[in-house]
């Protein structure tokens, strides 16, 4: 008898995993405290020009701040930042100054006027909003990636970046997981034995 | 002297990580072999209705298949499927029948007419295209998630799903990593000790 994989349906739900869970930094157009929120509804949407999307509920303080300033940062989450990232996703900037409460350091973001980055993040992306679309519960912001900054200490001697050392966090159906073993690189399934060895696989 | 984090800029690039690397299944509107491609330019864009985006180059065979049929599946990548997923991203369906070559089994996807899922995937999403937008190198497809199917064997006795057991793969700047240690759950930074213990953290 042939083996048949059995599936169970769970209804239409946002079960894409793993996905990013990153901290978005934005500036107050009135000159007040900057804000941090966590976004998991984000993804790359274009290579040339480099663009990404973030989706945010209209009711969020950051929605207004991003719509009015037209810019934000996305700060990658390391294992050490996981708890702060979670906190940024459950508390509103209306209640608490999250940078101050979490002991995080606002850092100027190259290419942006005012939106702060998180100095403790292993890397961050400077983003400028291109368009906003209403989808339902969330509005979709499409943004240009105008610069990327990576902490000095993650560069290897040959100039490449050691993402494994960042201990990055991914999100899967309500849970956070740190990245584990590296399985390969883009193209490894058709790479020569020499290329595999050179890349350490 | 205050500690100052040093960053190095690497230019505007798609350095969001980790991101998904999933296999997209689509049907040939002419009744030929279905196709598989790998997409990393994908993300959730809305909760209600549940929607996601995928971005695909116009030159890709699958672009035409998805645009004409209006549907596709996204199949999550487990450790065991990582090599097949990489292969699907580097070879074109014009050269090779990827399901056959990779020994993967097309599986009907609930809610769709013809786009096949991958029976070996731990879970898959059935998606129907709502709109297409030109961005540059890639076109952005926004799609409704119409159903989600999860392999029976990943359900725990209480009806929850054991994502850790799926050994899901994330993508970070050209490299594939399997998810490792679970660090917490959404809201764990403000959860009661009882909730933390109940959830096993």
């Amino acid at each position: 008898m042939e083996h048949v994989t059995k599936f169970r349906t769970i209804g239409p739900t946002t079960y894409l995993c793993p996905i990013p869970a990153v901290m978005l930094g934005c500036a107050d157009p009135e000159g007040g405290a900057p804000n941090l929120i966590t976004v998991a509804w984000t993804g790359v949407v274009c290579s040339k020009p480099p663009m990404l999307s973030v989706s945010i509920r209209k009711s969020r303080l950051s929605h207004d701040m991003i719509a009015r300033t037209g810019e934000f940062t996305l700060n990658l989450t390391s294992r050490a930042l996981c708890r702060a990232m979670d906190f940024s996703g459950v508390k509103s900037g209306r209640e608490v100054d999250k940078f101050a409460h979490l002991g995080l350091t606002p850092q100027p973001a190259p290419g942006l006027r005012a939106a702060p980055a998180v100095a403790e993040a292993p890397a961050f992306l400077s983003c400028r909003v291109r368009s906003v679309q209403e989808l339902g519960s969330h509005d979709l912001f499409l943004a240009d990636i105008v610069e990327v900054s990576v902490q000095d200490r993650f560069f290897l001697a040959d100039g490449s970046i050691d993402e494994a050392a960042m201990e990055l966090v991914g999100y899967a159906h309500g849970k956070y997981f740190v990245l584990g073993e590296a399985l390969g690189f883009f193209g490894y399934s058709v790479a020569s034995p020499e290329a595999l060895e050179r890349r350490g696989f």
Side-chain angles (χ1 to χ4, degrees), chain A:
Chain A
M1 202 174 94
E2 199 187 348
H3 172 72
V4 179
T5 313
K6 289 262 198 313
F7 285 88
R8 208 184 292 185
T9 56
I10 60 171
T13 182
T14 53
Y15 199 80
L16 181 64
C17 28
I19 54 177
V22 293
M23 285 183 285
L24 181 153
C26 51
D28 180 355
E30 312 289 352
N35 197 25
L36 271 181
I37 58 165
T38 298
V39 290
W41 289 185
T42 179
V44 177
V45 296
C46 194
S47 300
K48 288 187 185 179
M51 294 176 66
L52 52 75
S53 75
V54 298
S55 289
I56 303 176
R57 290 180 189 271
K58 270 196 212 308
S59 59
R60 288 284 205 156
L61 175 60
S62 294
H63 185 292
D64 181 60
M65 292 167 77
I66 298 166
R68 289 174 63 192
T69 61
E71 55 173 50
F72 60 88
T73 64
L74 288 189
N75 303 273
L76 304 191
T77 302
S78 60
R79 174 197 283 267
L81 285 175
C82 190
R83 187 173 292 272
M85 176 271 289
D86 180 64
F87 185 89
S88 297
V90 293
K91 288 288 180 182
S92 170
R94 295 191 181 95
E95 301 160 34
V96 56
D97 176 341
K98 287 187 257 189
F99 271 102
H101 179 84
L102 294 166
L104 298 177
T105 316
Q107 142 107 24
L112 303 185
R113 283 164 306 178
V118 174
E120 290 77 9
F124 63 85
L125 294 82
S126 302
C127 305
R128 266 196 230 124
V129 175
R130 186 188 279 215
S131 68
V132 193
Q133 298 168 55
E134 297 188 340
L135 295 180
S137 60
H138 289 66
D139 283 0
L140 175 71
F141 292 81
L142 297 182
D144 288 300
I145 303 165
V146 298
E147 187 55 276
V148 173
S149 304
V150 178
Q151 277 199 33
D152 249 1
R153 65 191 174 104
F154 294 113
F155 285 86
L156 298 173
D158 66 358
S160 66
I161 305 171
D162 187 0
E163 280 81 20
M166 292 183 180
E167 296 194 291
L168 294 166
V169 172
Y171 188 59
H173 200 217
K175 280 168 287 205
Y176 308 113
F177 294 87
V178 67
L179 297 189
E181 183 188 346
L183 301 181
F185 53 88
F186 179 75
Y188 83 112
S189 64
V190 297
S192 65
E194 294 73 24
L196 289 168
E197 193 179 338
R198 191 171 63 244
R199 299 283 301 264
F201 288 95

